[in-house]
Amino acid sequence: MTGQSSDANVEWRAAQERGSLLKEQRVGIAGQRINYTASQGKGRTVVLVHGNSSSSRVWRPLLNGSFGERYRCLAPDLPGHGGSAPAERAASYSLRSYASVLAGFVKELRAEDAVIVGWSLGGHIALEAASQLPEVAGFVLFGTPPVGGPADVARAFLPNPAMGVGFSPDVDAEAALSFAESFLAPGSTLPTDELVADVIATDGAARAGLLASLQAGAFADERVVVAHMTQPLAVLHGEGDQLISSDYLRGIGMPTLWRGALQILPGVGHTPQLEAPEEFADIVTQFITDLG
């Protein structure tokens, strides 16, 4: 854990309160204090899982908008991210541990029949947790190429030097900015201040621990997971995503793929929920509506 992370989390919580009508809440999952934000909606539950070195703040446009007014949205902060406490052990920063936290969160909040929306690392966590979530109504993944092992990585991810920041324990402001800018479509004018703040606030051990677990192969074969998934699966992709290969996504066998095709979102990059929140909310609403 880093000393910087504790101070940054205090600043993160203050910014969250200033910038949103939503109030953060906390829940204990297997001894881990998890911060989460809930919207005011009473409809179907939607669990929103953020990505690496990010936080529930990336979902704020959905939580504060008509989507959050309609659906019961729950957006947790992963351990060591946002307002959640750092993990006590570095080994807890792995896909398997994150998946256990997600499954525990879903159970604790009585959201077993929710729609799980996973962005980037959050999508990989959702796939890792899929076997623990048999009653989930459906999955929405974006920025998440299902990989079967190390051999798939070079094809699934585009060559971008900023990717390395996501696995570096010590990240300065310049590196955090490069990582944040890689989330957006080329030429985007969307402010990156909050994205950068989240990168810096994240416990550096979370990035290092994730890398160690991936190098050890401690994760499920995600291609097998989607091949055997029984729930509807929507896979979205920003047209200008600088990190993920659309060609790779189109080559994955996904029998329950919603509408039978990858859904391309024009004019956005890796973070359509921030770059075009209304359009993003609309397509997720269409998926939920199609569930019946």
Side-chain angles (χ1 to χ4, degrees):
M1 293 181 289
T2 64
Q4 179 188 37
S5 177
S6 177
D7 293 339
N9 283 350
V10 172
E11 295 176 5
W12 181 94
R13 288 194 291 269
Q16 183 82 336
E17 292 293 331
R18 290 195 301 270
S20 174
L21 296 175
L22 304 166
K23 297 296 183 181
E24 64 179 90
Q25 303 178 55
R26 293 183 179 85
V27 63
I29 306 295
Q32 171 75 46
R33 191 194 75 210
I34 297 298
N35 185 90
Y36 73 98
T37 305
S39 73
Q40 300 177 2
K42 304 300 182 183
R44 181 185 285 279
T45 301
V46 181
V47 177
L48 304 162
V49 190
H50 68 77
N52 182 4
S53 299
S54 183
S55 77
S56 58
R57 189 158 56 178
V58 296
W59 305 112
R60 197 163 60 197
L62 271 69
L63 295 167
N64 278 331
S66 58
F67 187 88
E69 293 175 354
R70 178 175 183 178
Y71 300 110
R72 179 197 179 213
C73 297
L74 303 172
D77 291 324
L78 296 173
H81 295 69
S84 289
E88 293 185 359
R89 298 182 303 111
S92 296
Y93 290 132
S94 67
L95 278 178
R96 289 176 180 172
S97 293
Y98 285 143
S100 295
V101 169
L102 174 59
F105 179 82
V106 165
K107 182 178 180 180
E108 186 71 23
L109 274 293
R110 298 182 179 179
E112 287 89 348
D113 61 348
V115 169
I116 307 294
V117 179
W119 165 57
S120 199
L121 173 63
H124 293 291
I125 293 169
L127 291 177
E128 187 75 25
S131 63
Q132 303 175 59
L133 303 170
E135 298 177 38
V136 161
F139 292 87
V140 178
L141 306 180
F142 63 108
T144 304
V147 294
D152 288 333
V153 172
R155 295 186 298 118
F157 295 92
L158 300 175
N160 190 316
M163 283 282 288
V165 177
F167 303 107
S168 301
D170 300 312
V171 175
D172 60 20
E174 182 179 357
L177 177 60
S178 71
F179 196 43
E181 289 177 339
S182 74
F183 294 166
L184 308 178
S188 173
T189 58
L190 188 74
T192 58
D193 295 4
E194 292 187 347
L195 291 170
V196 170
D198 276 345
V199 175
I200 293 174
T202 299
D203 182 9
R207 289 184 287 266
L210 177 62
L211 176 61
S213 71
L214 295 177
Q215 290 176 331
F219 60 93
D221 185 326
E222 296 171 346
R223 296 182 67 134
V224 171
V225 173
V226 297
H228 292 88
M229 186 173 286
T230 57
Q231 299 102 323
L233 168 65
V235 180
L236 318 179
H237 181 73
E239 181 182 41
D241 195 317
Q242 300 187 64
L243 303 176
I244 309 301
S245 168
S246 60
D247 289 338
Y248 176 84
L249 286 170
R250 289 189 178 94
I252 301 295
M254 296 179 274
T256 63
L257 185 62
W258 180 54
R259 297 182 175 176
L262 176 66
Q263 303 299 307
I264 301 295
L265 306 179
V268 298
H270 197 62
T271 53
Q273 76 275 37
L274 293 177
E275 296 167 87
E278 292 184 4
E279 291 82 356
F280 178 82
D282 181 62
I283 196 167
V284 177
T285 298
Q286 292 175 40
F287 175 74
I288 295 172
T289 300
D290 285 355
L291 294 176

